């Protein structure tokens, strides 16, 4: 069940009303668990077993780790401490979760890479392809469950004893299939609280959802038309056209993923839950490192806490820090997809950050020498633009279906210098007609203004809620009509799936 | 939270929801596509007042397009409504019926059973949505949606906005007239665009097949439901199948339909079995496999009317309050409108309107005439559109006969007396011709009806104020004042005729000559010698922009025509519905034809062995013609509507404004004077013949492609800057070397004018791996080329003679004439007239050179050199 489908628009209000009508907290949690499982079964009912299995294993391991941990506390003699057992349980979770992820997501990638490598060496290798479909959201709930066990192991959260509550934590439908990857410390406890109906919360949640829909169906799905046209027929486009398509892709993936996350956060908020922020105006970042502090924050945070720090972070010298960054981003790339393009994408992001760090003293010296004020608007704009160019360059590899296409698109960009395409109407022949193109550009401009306001700390939703009723309603109606009129939906379009679902 | 607060919140929410719903509804009224097919028939039905529809016709385009409701109403008084959709499946017909019956109860339902022979569970997407969006939200609509589409599409059709929300960039003014407060009841008079083009097929004999074939289960189910519903509602049902190019399967299925109809005791007329009974002719009456042209529509509508006689329907023409009697006049442009009144002088004044009323036997028109007659002279003709030749006697006359009776005459024997008109009173006469039925009204009252012979056709034009005899002479000049004449291409109802209240036209001018100075607005510098290909002169003078303008043309022309067309000069609207303007041309040596005003022809004898002067003077609507100083036409009247085209010498403009009919005529002198000259000045005009125009040799063509060219099959083309056709008889040699890359269709190179109808120039198209198609000038040649590797092509143009070479060997030779084209030679695609790049290919041109002059040896040298 996609957020931008009719079924979800029926499902969600029913769930929300039912949720508030049920007076008991425990019953509410059970209701949410049931609808979350129903929600997940909307894709492929078979994989509910997988979700349940992962939940059960990490739940039991959590209890075991918790018991074993208690035995390692100070009052237990050192020789009786069961540190080995704890590590075993954590290792077990790690193996099972990674095993599941590997089996469904990376097995075919590994075998095909082996076949390719063998072919390169002149050998013929025959490994049968696994016939498995990637379960929706697998990368998200495995990471969330794994994170929980590690947190229990570290003692930052207590093991959850109530299985149903834990199962709801893993499967909470708003964030089940595309994040944010929640921390047990944040979400699990919220299931213990009694949520009362708060119209302001509900309104804020609904507004967030509206904004999320705008991002998804008006901006992301519109830009997708142009991006798909150019990348699917890249041999026909040279020079600035693929560049523009790649810029559009940067917008598309941001609005697609952020749109989903915002709908998820809005859905949760309408029911009184607070999910973590996943994006903070990423394209206003002033360096690639800054970009990653703002982009997919829940995943970056996960890698930081559960991979970067355990690897030593920045505590073991510069060289080791650079290596750690590289490892984290290569993994991040691989997490996004089982293809070398994603690995290269991750690698480039890591590389840009390492170069950024290495050149930082030099850069600062040069700026001082030129008398440039690092806090000036001009400097920030230039930094922002450079960051966008670097990030957008990496998106090219993210979007291309394979390496050969990525190189071919790069060659197409270099093949011709054709700035006239900006003026001769070529842009209107890329799937979006003149009117559609400018509506898309206008929508992107609206997004830019909103992000700019958020960056300045203006809370737009609060601002709208403070307005008199006619103004508020005008805003709501305008937003709704804009979505209904300019959104990409209906026949001819399958409800466009969110890009991050298959990660 | 208190109950009060909670209630307040709920109320606010409900209020907001209502406002939003209203907004969305209005938005949907604007966005919904106003399709003539399926949407409007259903949508407009809701707007009809109660008890206005006697015959409800439901089904596919075989009833929607093949039947004329106007004809049924105007000729038979039957108020029918076609609630149809193209290829409408029977389940949609069923729900349309349910919905229609919930609005008002007709007296008979006619079902066109084409939707029962449907072969699939669901229609195609376009038909699915068209047959649903016209229905208002209702339980019927929900059922219709569930029957018409698969489950995943239900929400789309129920909400309907997803179907058309993207229409915001194609809205027109019309889209803003479909709000709930707007009423659309004009469907009755809407008829799909009919055509008199013809599609011919062989009738499948009724016994061509044997046995029956079961209908699709779903079709049969809904067919039975349809019949049962009519039975339950006590609604007489008539099943029909319009005749069409029947397949054997359909023939067997129609037998099953007949069986089911018999089972329920419902009459079913399959017209496929009775072509002859209704004189429906598959050789003349169709535009495609299932749809009639206007002849067929008239016949089929008449056939249905004869079947409907059994149902004792009221004649709604007699009900002045019926909606289709009181509808405002059909918004249509008249095919003729008199510009100024014509005052007959009983001696010579008359007006030839140029309108041919009886060219096609099934034409539909309404003629509205207002005149005043204040004398009692017998034998005077008010209106004449009649062929007097003894073998014909076809057409229409309105006249006072030898006994002083005022009469309307159709053909040779259908007379209708005009009673109740008194001397000096204004009389309104309306003649409605709807196919072969003609109806006459005097002062809004029906005075007679007649059936015209199918052979009643004539080319004669409509004349006001006199009678034209078989030999072309005029007599019976009338003293009537013709105050108004309008002719519409549709059949008016009596109600519409009764409310006709035209504007008063200006009174006619008195014709007189006014002397002006001989100061030519157009004067040629060089003589015009047409080359029949591309040469002409556009004078830039729009001499019919104001049809009341006066001007004088003075010319000296050569009787001999050197090939091509035959026009000396013309400013003529080539619109078959309303030819008008001026043409001077020659069909044969010694004969000059002048067409003037409202397409009145004049043919005069002229010298055949020497140039002669031709002067034409137009004094408002009076034309005078002199040939070699001798007057050949004296102030003949012909009035016409404005025309904005320009006066051309040596060619004409077509309806779209393209130059056509390039002529081989010679005009030695030409002057156009705005205003009138005295006859003396015209007779004294005799300048020397003008000299010949200097030759245009065209630009240099020398060119060599520096690096190869590789097209991208999308938008990449290369402009060589060479004009191969800037002079039509230019000589050049073009060589190029192709390396096969793929076999995508596209233009290899082009210097081609895509100007319909005068496509010309050079075009080389790769159509597949083995074929290059060439347009050389205007000739077409298809060349088989090697599927792989390198090959060389040479094109040599020597004036109008072309030679084509493949790998240095000549493969084609021939003449091809084309006119000049200023475009450049493009590689890899075509530059269209619109400025768009088109037909791009992914061809690899290794080398290309163009040399001036026609040189076959250069082709061989190029191949020998480049192939290595």
């Amino acid at each position: 069940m996609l957020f931008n489908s009719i079924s979800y628009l029926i499902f969600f209000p029913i769930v929300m009303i039912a949720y508030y009508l049920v007076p008991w907290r425990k019953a509410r949690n059970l209701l949410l668990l049931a609808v979350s499982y129903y929600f997940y079964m909307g894709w492929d009912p078979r994989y509910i077993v997988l979700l349940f299995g992962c939940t059960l294993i990490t739940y039991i391991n959590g209890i075991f780790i918790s018991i074993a941990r208690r035995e390692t506390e100070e009052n237990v003699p050192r020789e009786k401490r069961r540190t080995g057992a704890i590590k075993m349980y954590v290792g077990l979770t790690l193996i099972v979760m990674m095993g599941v992820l590997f089996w469904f997501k990376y097995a075919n990638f590994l075998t095909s890479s082996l076949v390719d490598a063998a072919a390169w060496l002149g050998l013929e290798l025959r490994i049968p392809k696994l016939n498995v479909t990637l379960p929706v959201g697998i990368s998200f709930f495995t990471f969330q469950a794994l994170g929980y066990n590690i947190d229990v192991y570290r003692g930052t959260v207590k093991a959850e004893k109530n299985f149903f509550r834990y199962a709801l934590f893993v499967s909470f439908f708003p964030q089940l299939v595309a994040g944010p990857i929640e921390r047990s410390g944040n979400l699990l406890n919220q299931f213990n609280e009694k949520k009362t109906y708060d119209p302001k919360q509900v309104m804020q949640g609904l507004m967030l959802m509206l904004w999320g829909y705008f991002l998804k169906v008006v901006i992301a799905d519109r830009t997708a038309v142009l991006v798909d046209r150019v990348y699917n027929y890249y041999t026909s486009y040279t020079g600035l056209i693929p560049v523009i398509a790649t810029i559009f892709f940067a917008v598309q993936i941001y609005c697609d993923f952020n749109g989903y996350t915002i709908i998820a956060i809005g859905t949760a908020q309408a029911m009184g839950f607070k999910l973590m922020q996943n994006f903070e105006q990423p394209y206003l970042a002033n360096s690639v490192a800054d970009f990653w502090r703002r982009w997919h924050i829940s995943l970056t945070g996960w890698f930081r806490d559960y991979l970067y720090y355990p690897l030593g972070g920045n505590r073991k010298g510069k060289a080791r820090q650079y290596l750690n960054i590289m490892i984290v981003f290569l993994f991040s790339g691989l997490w996004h997809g089982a293809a070398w393009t994603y690995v290269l994408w991750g690698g480039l992001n890591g590389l840009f950050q390492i170069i950024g760090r290495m050149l930082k003293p030099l850069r600062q010296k040069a700026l001082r020498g030129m008398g440039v004020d690092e806090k000036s608007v001009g400097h920030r704009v230039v930094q922002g633009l450079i960051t966008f160019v670097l990030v957008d360059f990496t998106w090219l590899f993210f979007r291309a279906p394979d390496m050969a296409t990525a190189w071919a698109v790069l060659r197409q960009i270099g093949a011709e210098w054709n700035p006239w395409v900006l003026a001769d109407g070529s842009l209107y022949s890329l799937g979006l007609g003149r009117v559609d193109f400018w509506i898309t550009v206008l929508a992107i401009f609206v997004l830019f203004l909103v992000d700019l306001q958020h960056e300045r700390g203006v809370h737009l939703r609060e601002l709208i809620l403070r307005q008199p009723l006619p103004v508020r309603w005008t805003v709501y109606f305008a937003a709704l009509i804009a979505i209904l009129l300019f959104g990409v939906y209906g026949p001819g379009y399958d409800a466009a799936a969110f890009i991050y679902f298959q990660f | 939270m208190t109950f009060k607060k909670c209630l307040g919140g709920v109320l606010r929410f409900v209020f907001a929801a209502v406002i939003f719903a209203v907004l969305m509804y209005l938005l949907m009224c604007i966005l919904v596509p106003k399709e003539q097919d399926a949407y409007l028939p259903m949508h407009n039905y809701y707007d009809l007042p109660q008890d206005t529809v006697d015959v409800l016709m439901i089904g596919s385009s075989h009833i929607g397009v093949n039947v004329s409701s106007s004809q049924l109403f105007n000729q038979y008084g039957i108020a029918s409504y076609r609630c149809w959709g193209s290829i409408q499946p029977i389940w949609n017909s069923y729900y349309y019926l349910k919905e229609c019956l919930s609005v008002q109860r007709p007296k008979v339902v006619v079902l066109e059973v084409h939707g029962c022979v449907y072969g699939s569970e669901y229609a195609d997407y376009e038909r699915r949505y068209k047959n649903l969006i016209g229905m208002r939200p209702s339980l019927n609509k929900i059922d219709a949606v569930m029957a018409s589409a698969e489950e995943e599409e239900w929400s789309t059709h129920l909400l309907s906005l997803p179907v058309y929300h993207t229409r915001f960039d194609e809205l027109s003014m019309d889209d803003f007239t479909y709000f709930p407060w707007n009423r659309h009841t004009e469907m009755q008079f809407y008829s799909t665009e009919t055509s008199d083009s013809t599609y011919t097929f062989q009738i499948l004999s009724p016994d061509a097949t044997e046995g029956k074939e079961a209908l699709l289960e779903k079709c049969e189910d809904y067919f039975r439901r349809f019949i049962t519903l009519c039975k339950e509602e006590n609604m007489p049902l008539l099943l029909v199948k319009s005749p069409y190019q029947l397949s054997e399967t359909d023939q067997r299925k129609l037998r099953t339909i007949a069986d089911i109809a018999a089972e329920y005791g419902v009459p079913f007329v399959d017209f496929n079995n009775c072509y002859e009974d209704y004189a429906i002719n598959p050789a003349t009456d169709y535009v495609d496999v299932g749809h009639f042209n206007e002849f067929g529509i008239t016949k089929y509508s008449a056939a249905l009317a004869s079947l409907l006689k059994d149902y004792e329907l009221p004649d709604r023409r007699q009900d002045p309050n019926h909606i289709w009697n009181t509808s405002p006049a059909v918004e249509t442009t008249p095919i003729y409108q008199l510009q100024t009144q014509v005052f007959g002088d009983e001696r010579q004044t008359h007006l030839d309107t140029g309108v041919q009323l009886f060219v096609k036997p099934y034409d539909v028109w309404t003629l509205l005439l207002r005149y005043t007659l204040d004398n009692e002279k017998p034998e005077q003709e008010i209106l004449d559109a009649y062929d007097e030749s003894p073998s014909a006697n076809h057409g229409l006359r309105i006249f006072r006969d030898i006994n002083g009776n005022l009469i309307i005459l159709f053909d040779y024997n259908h007379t209708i007396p005009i009673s109740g008109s008194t001397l000096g009173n204004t009389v309104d006469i309306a003649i409605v011709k709807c196919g072969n039925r003609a109806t006459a009204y005097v002062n809004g009252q029906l005075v007679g009806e007649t059936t015209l012979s199918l052979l009643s056709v004539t080319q004669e034009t409509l004349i006001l104020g006199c009678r034209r005899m078989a030999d072309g002479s005029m007599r019976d000049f009338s003293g009537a004042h013709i105050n108004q004449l309008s002719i519409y291409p549709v059949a008016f109802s009596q109600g519409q005729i009764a409310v006709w209240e035209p504007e008063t036209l200006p009174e006619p001018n008195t014709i007189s000559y006014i002397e002006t100075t001989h100061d030519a607005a157009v004067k040629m510098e060089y003589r015009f010698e047409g080359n029949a290909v591309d040469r002409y002169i556009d004078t830039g003078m729009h001499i019919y922009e104001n049809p009341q303008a006066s001007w004088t043309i003075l010319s000296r022309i050569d009787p001999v025509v050197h090939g091509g067309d035959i026009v000396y000069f013309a400013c003529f609207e080539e619109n078959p519905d309303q030819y008008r303007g001026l043409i001077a041309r020659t069909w044969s040596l010694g004969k000059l034809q002048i067409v003037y005003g409202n397409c009145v022809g004049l043919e005069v004898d002229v010298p055949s062995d020497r140039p002669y002067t031709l002067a034409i003077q137009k004094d408002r609507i009076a034309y005078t013609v002199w040939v070699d100083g001798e007057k050949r036409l004296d102030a003949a009247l012909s009035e016409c509507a404005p025309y904005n085209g320009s006066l051309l010498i040596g060619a004409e403009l077509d309806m779209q404004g393209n130059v056509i009919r390039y002529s081989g005529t010679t005009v030695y002198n030409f002057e156009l004077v705005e205003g009138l000259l005295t006859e003396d000045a015209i007779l004294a005009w005799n300048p020397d013949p003008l000299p010949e125009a200097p030759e245009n040799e065209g630009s240099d063509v020398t060119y060599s492609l520096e690096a190869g060219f590789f097209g991208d099959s999308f938008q990449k083309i290369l402009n060589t800057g060479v004009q191969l056709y800037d002079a039509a008889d230019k000589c050049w040699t073009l060589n190029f070397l192709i390396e096969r890359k793929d076999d995508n269709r596209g233009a290899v190179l082009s210097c081609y004018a895509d100007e319909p109808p005068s496509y010309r120039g050079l075009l080389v198209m790769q159509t597949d791996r083995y074929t290059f198609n060439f347009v050389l000038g205007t000739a077409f040649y298809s060349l088989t080329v090697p599927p792989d590797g390198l090959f060389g092509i040479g094109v040599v143009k020597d004036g109008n003679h072309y030679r084509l070479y493949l790998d240095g060997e000549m493969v084609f030779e021939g003449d091809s004439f084309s006119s000049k084209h200023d475009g450049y030679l493009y590689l890899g695609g075509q530059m269209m007239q619109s400025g768009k790049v088109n037909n791009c290919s992914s061809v690899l041109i290794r080398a290309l050179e163009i040399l001036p002059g026609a040189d076959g040896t250069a082709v061989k040298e190029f191949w020998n050199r480049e192939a290595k």
Side-chain angles (χ1 to χ4, degrees), chain A residues 137-335:
Chain A
I138 188 170
S139 308
F140 291 91
F141 66 73
T142 50
F143 266 45
Q144 187 158 315
L146 181 58
Y148 160 75
N149 272 191
I150 298 173
D151 285 346
V152 174
Y153 160 69
R154 287 179 181 170
T156 47
V157 292
K158 285 185 181 165
E160 177 58 58
K161 295 204 176 77
N162 183 328
F163 174 73
F164 296 111
R165 199 179 298 140
Y166 176 70
L168 177 57
F169 162 71
V170 178
S171 67
F172 187 44
F173 75 87
Q175 44 86 253
L176 172 59
V177 292
I181 304 169
E182 271 298 340
R183 297 306 176 76
S184 43
N186 176 36
L187 187 59
L188 206 45
N189 289 335
Q190 293 189 49
F191 296 123
N192 289 324
E193 297 162 5
K194 171 132 172 102
K195 309 284 181 192
T196 47
Y197 171 73
D198 176 0
K200 198 178 156 195
Q201 282 286 335
V202 174
M203 214 51 231
Q204 289 221 3
L206 293 179
M207 260 197 280
L208 259 186
M209 289 175 76
L210 208 55
W211 177 239
Y213 281 116
F214 179 80
L215 294 182
K216 168 65 184 165
V217 297
V218 179
I219 306 186
D221 291 348
R222 277 177 168 272
T223 44
V225 175
L226 186 144
V227 173
D228 291 350
R229 163 68 72 92
V230 175
Y231 272 83
N232 293 347
Y233 303 97
Y234 62 88
T235 51
S236 301
Y237 301 100
T238 50
L240 274 184
I241 300 258
V243 172
I244 289 163
T246 312
I247 293 171
F248 266 56
F249 181 67
V251 177
Q252 183 199 343
I253 192 154
Y254 172 45
C255 292
D256 192 283
F257 192 17
N258 191 22
Y260 181 90
T261 309
I262 286 178
I263 298 170
I265 297 172
T267 303
Q269 190 172 1
M271 292 187 293
F273 296 94
K274 193 165 168 50
L275 298 184
M276 67 185 294
Q277 276 285 86
N278 217 9
F279 293 87
E280 277 178 11
Q281 304 77 255
Y283 293 132
L284 299 179
N286 57 14
S287 67
V288 177
D290 186 26
F291 173 81
W292 278 101
R293 281 190 285 274
R294 296 157 173 264
W295 180 273
H296 204 174
I297 298 167
S298 65
L299 178 73
T300 318
W302 198 98
F303 274 120
R304 183 193 60 219
D305 292 349
Y306 304 127
L307 185 62
Y308 182 67
Y309 289 162
L311 286 171
N314 58 3
R315 293 166 310 204
K316 296 187 176 175
K318 287 270 181 207
R320 185 61 192 272
Q321 184 195 358
Y322 296 157
L323 179 67
N324 291 344
I325 290 174
M326 207 54 181
I327 290 169
V328 165
F329 276 90
L330 287 174
F331 269 104
S332 174
L334 210 52
W335 179 91

Side-chain angles (χ1 to χ4, degrees), chain A residues 443-499:
Chain A
I444 295 171
F445 184 66
V446 170
L447 165 69
F448 176 71
L449 289 183
V450 170
D451 270 6
L452 216 55
Q453 293 307 313
H454 283 154
E455 186 72 2
R456 290 172 55 198
V458 178
H459 293 280
L460 287 171
R461 277 178 297 151
E462 296 277 350
L463 196 71
I464 295 167
L465 280 175
R466 280 204 299 274
Q467 302 305 313
L469 186 125
V471 177
R472 285 202 318 264
W473 284 14
T474 308
V475 173
Y476 303 153
F477 289 166
L480 265 170
I481 288 173
I483 292 167
L484 289 173
L485 214 56
F486 305 129
V488 174
Y489 66 96
Y493 311 105
D494 290 329
F498 291 87
I499 296 177

